[in-house]
Amino acid sequence: MTEHATRSARAVAALGALALWGCAALLPAPATGAGSGAPGATSADDGAVVQEPDALKTPPPPGLAELATFPAVERRELGNGFGISYLRQQNLPLARIVVTFRSGRAHEGDHVGVARVTAQLMKLGGAGALSGKQMIDRLESFGSSLEVTTGSDHTSFTLSVLNPDLAPALAALGQVLGEARMPLAEFLRVKQAEIERTGERARGDFQWGNQLVLFRQLFEAPTGVHPYAHFDAKASDLERLQLADCSAWRLRHLVPANAELAVVGSLEPASVFEAAEKAFQRWQGAAAPAPSSFDRPAGPARLEIHVIDRAESPLSLVTAGVLGAPRKSAAWPALALSTYILGSGPASRLFLDLHEEHQWALEIDSDLLPLRDAPSVVQVQATALSADTVPVVKSITRELARLASEAPSTDEVEHAARSLTRAFLNHPNPLKSLSEMLATQIEFGLEPSDYDGFHQTVLELDPASIQRVVRPYFDADQTVVVVSADAKAVAKPLAQLAPVIVLDPERDFSIRERLPYSPIPSP
């Protein structure tokens, strides 16, 4: 049996074992290979070979056509400081509504988890004269449900409704935000649900656990806790939370002067702004919180590998990250290109190495995670068989360092630029995509023209300029590597690469064991 066939058989067996282990929802499916057959030929139903026309054998040149631009956005601001943005798209039967507050997990202070619990409590606790059930019934009468999300820099409330329901839906949402009741009984239910959610994720969600540790280590501060060190709350954080903490956070952060409504739809602008003003103009609150300013974290002093013990798991999830540039930095376009070249798509360096050449990884991805008041995070993730964890970690750390030491090829840059400049408006759900981009503009203080400026800069960057810009960010010693895997199987082999710290997910990801760096002696 060939090495490739052996690895495929091992992968299938491992996937079956992991499903029994209880983590099937966390596992990506292995990529499938190309079909067999002669180049340029396809099989007809009767078994005959149909030759491809000569005109189709040579692909068109990968030139960059004229760029699409971000649609026009009309904006207004009410007397209470509440912003309204409307992006009109013709022939849409629906309107999507997003209210974004410019505060999230990074603004929780000592009350970790308060942003999400408060938002959920506002959704479920009722408003004005309506109980929680009555308000939920009212929102669901529009054929929709209220989505609540929190991130490092935002808290958002989202609805999608038919055009005739826009005005009453905005009125209902205005009541939820301005007249939330937040009763103690509902707070206790929401708090317990969040404790159970985070406990379940700690026990079995590989990606969630890896990102929790990644952010904690990247934003480690010499004194205190950096505001961006919390990717999410842990059960122990939520146990300490009180209703008074939620009430105070709402009055400080979830106020009209700290929020903006984004609407995407096909209705006349005058009707949209009239409905929004009627729904939100009487809502009053404190002034918006002052803009935050935080020192850039120093980052790790040396490479360490953190292993989250997932006993008896046949697979490992490897997550690696470095601190990048802030979202509004001039270095952002070059970092975005480099991140794409690193691990996004089948032409990326890590996919070609880990999947195509060596068949070590079942799935690879890279992403540039923006943060408003802190450096962004360049993140790479790969899923592999436990036995292949060491070569996967070696490849990821090597390719991260290579971005600093070696300029990308012209072909790599052109492919990444094409993908980045085409994907942003090429979405199967344009209503959702455009509303999310508007909400992101609100969250980070961007203008619609910033999208077009980013794409133009991406197209103008050359390989040498990209390397020069990103070199300071890809320091191998300041890379954080987190591995969710069976510690008995991977911890000692990984110590050949760097010191290893084994973490216990059942005990708040506390340190269970330290293994010193033990390189293999040179022959």
Side-chain angles (χ1 to χ4, degrees):
M1 183 179 287
T2 65
E3 179 184 357
H4 184 92
T6 300
R7 288 188 178 276
S8 298
R10 290 165 58 201
V12 171
L15 287 170
L18 193 62
L20 296 175
W21 186 77
C23 292
L26 306 174
L27 302 180
T32 56
S36 60
T42 58
S43 296
D45 292 339
D46 60 1
V49 174
V50 180
Q51 293 295 327
E52 182 181 23
D54 291 340
L56 298 180
K57 291 182 179 179
T58 302
L64 293 167
E66 184 177 350
L67 281 176
T69 57
F70 195 82
V73 178
E74 189 173 347
R75 281 196 164 104
R76 296 185 188 176
E77 185 175 304
L78 303 182
N80 57 7
F82 186 74
I84 306 171
S85 293
Y86 181 49
L87 191 159
R88 191 180 187 192
Q89 293 285 282
Q90 298 292 342
N91 303 320
L92 292 175
L94 298 174
R96 190 162 175 88
I97 304 162
V98 185
V99 174
T100 299
F101 294 89
R102 302 176 185 89
S103 295
R105 291 189 300 264
H107 310 88
E108 293 177 327
D110 296 331
H111 305 295
V112 180
V114 69
R116 181 179 169 91
V117 170
T118 301
Q120 292 288 342
L121 182 54
M122 291 172 67
K123 171 186 174 179
L124 300 173
L130 299 181
S131 67
K133 182 181 184 307
Q134 289 171 326
M135 180 55 74
I136 292 297
D137 288 345
R138 183 181 180 192
L139 293 169
E140 291 182 348
S141 71
F142 304 126
S144 181
S145 59
L146 182 61
E147 303 171 27
V148 177
T149 59
T150 54
S152 293
D153 297 302
H154 80 276
T155 301
S156 298
F157 296 78
T158 303
L159 275 172
S160 294
V161 298
L162 293 170
N163 287 336
D165 292 328
L166 178 66
L170 287 174
L173 184 56
Q175 190 172 14
V176 168
L177 300 179
E179 303 176 40
R181 295 171 63 175
M182 300 176 63
L184 176 61
E186 192 61 47
F187 164 75
L188 295 174
R189 282 193 288 269
V190 170
K191 175 179 173 178
Q192 184 58 38
E194 284 297 294
I195 290 172
E196 292 173 3
R197 177 189 70 87
T198 55
E200 182 177 347
R201 287 198 154 189
R203 288 188 295 272
D205 191 330
F206 287 21
Q207 182 173 344
W208 183 86
N210 281 21
Q211 289 188 293
L212 195 80
V213 176
L214 179 71
F215 272 67
R216 184 179 74 185
Q217 297 306 127
L218 284 175
F219 289 97
E220 188 175 23
T223 58
V225 179
H226 195 281
Y228 285 89
H230 296 293
F231 173 76
D232 200 352
K234 303 187 297 296
S236 59
D237 299 318
L238 295 162
E239 292 281 5
R240 296 189 290 269
L241 209 57
Q242 301 297 319
L243 177 58
D245 302 325
C246 295
S247 298
W249 201 82
R250 176 194 167 220
L251 293 175
R252 181 74 183 94
H253 293 277
L254 304 188
V255 293
N258 195 37
E260 187 164 329
L261 165 69
V263 179
V264 178
S266 61
L267 295 170
E268 288 291 332
S271 64
V272 173
F273 284 108
E274 180 182 357
E277 290 171 8
K278 185 176 180 180
F280 296 103
Q281 65 183 351
R282 289 181 296 178
W283 179 21
Q284 298 298 318
S292 303
S293 178
F294 308 117
D295 293 334
R296 180 183 176 91
R302 61 174 183 174
L303 174 65
E304 290 181 327
I305 301 173
H306 296 77
V307 176
I308 302 174
D309 187 16
R310 305 294 186 181
E312 300 182 16
S313 170
L315 296 190
S316 64
L317 177 66
V318 178
T319 304
V322 295
L323 292 175
R327 176 61 184 86
K328 289 188 173 182
S329 167
W332 182 263
L335 271 173
L337 277 169
S338 298
T339 303
Y340 194 95
I341 290 168
L342 179 65
S344 296
S348 66
R349 292 178 175 181
L350 285 172
F351 187 91
L352 293 174
D353 179 30
L354 294 177
H355 185 83
E356 292 297 294
E357 183 175 353
H358 293 104
Q359 294 85 47
W360 285 329
L362 304 175
E363 185 175 80
I364 306 103
D365 189 30
S366 63
D367 201 4
L368 182 58
L369 309 177
L371 301 170
R372 188 177 63 228
D373 301 313
S376 58
V377 174
V378 179
Q379 176 183 277
V380 182
Q381 293 199 117
T383 305
L385 296 173
S386 181
D388 295 325
T389 303
V390 170
V392 167
V393 172
K394 288 176 68 174
S395 178
I396 289 175
T397 54
R398 181 180 66 247
E399 291 298 338
L400 280 166
R402 182 181 163 204
L403 289 171
S405 63
E406 178 184 321
S409 69
T410 300
D411 287 345
E412 286 179 317
V413 173
E414 289 184 355
H415 175 78
R418 268 197 310 278
S419 299
L420 288 174
T421 55
R422 292 297 177 267
F424 90 113
L425 287 179
N426 184 15
H427 194 279
N429 187 342
L431 184 70
K432 182 175 186 291
S433 175
L434 289 170
S435 65
E436 288 176 348
M437 283 191 280
L438 265 184
T440 298
Q441 291 175 14
I442 296 166
E443 178 182 355
F444 292 104
L446 303 172
E447 296 296 330
S449 59
D450 289 336
Y451 283 107
D452 300 338
F454 166 78
H455 295 131
Q456 191 60 47
T457 302
V458 162
L459 295 177
E460 294 172 353
L461 285 168
D462 61 85
S465 298
I466 293 170
Q467 187 206 359
R468 184 173 61 254
V469 171
V470 306
R471 184 185 293 123
Y473 302 106
F474 294 104
D475 185 340
D477 287 336
Q478 294 202 312
T479 302
V480 172
V481 177
V482 187
V483 180
S484 274
D486 186 348
K488 291 181 179 179
V490 305
K492 287 185 178 179
L494 286 171
Q496 300 169 11
L497 309 180
V500 170
I501 301 172
V502 179
L503 305 176
D504 187 348
E506 300 282 351
R507 298 180 180 273
D508 268 0
F509 297 88
S510 58
I511 297 175
R512 177 190 294 170
E513 183 182 5
R514 291 180 181 270
L515 282 71
Y517 175 41
S518 304
I520 299 176
S522 300

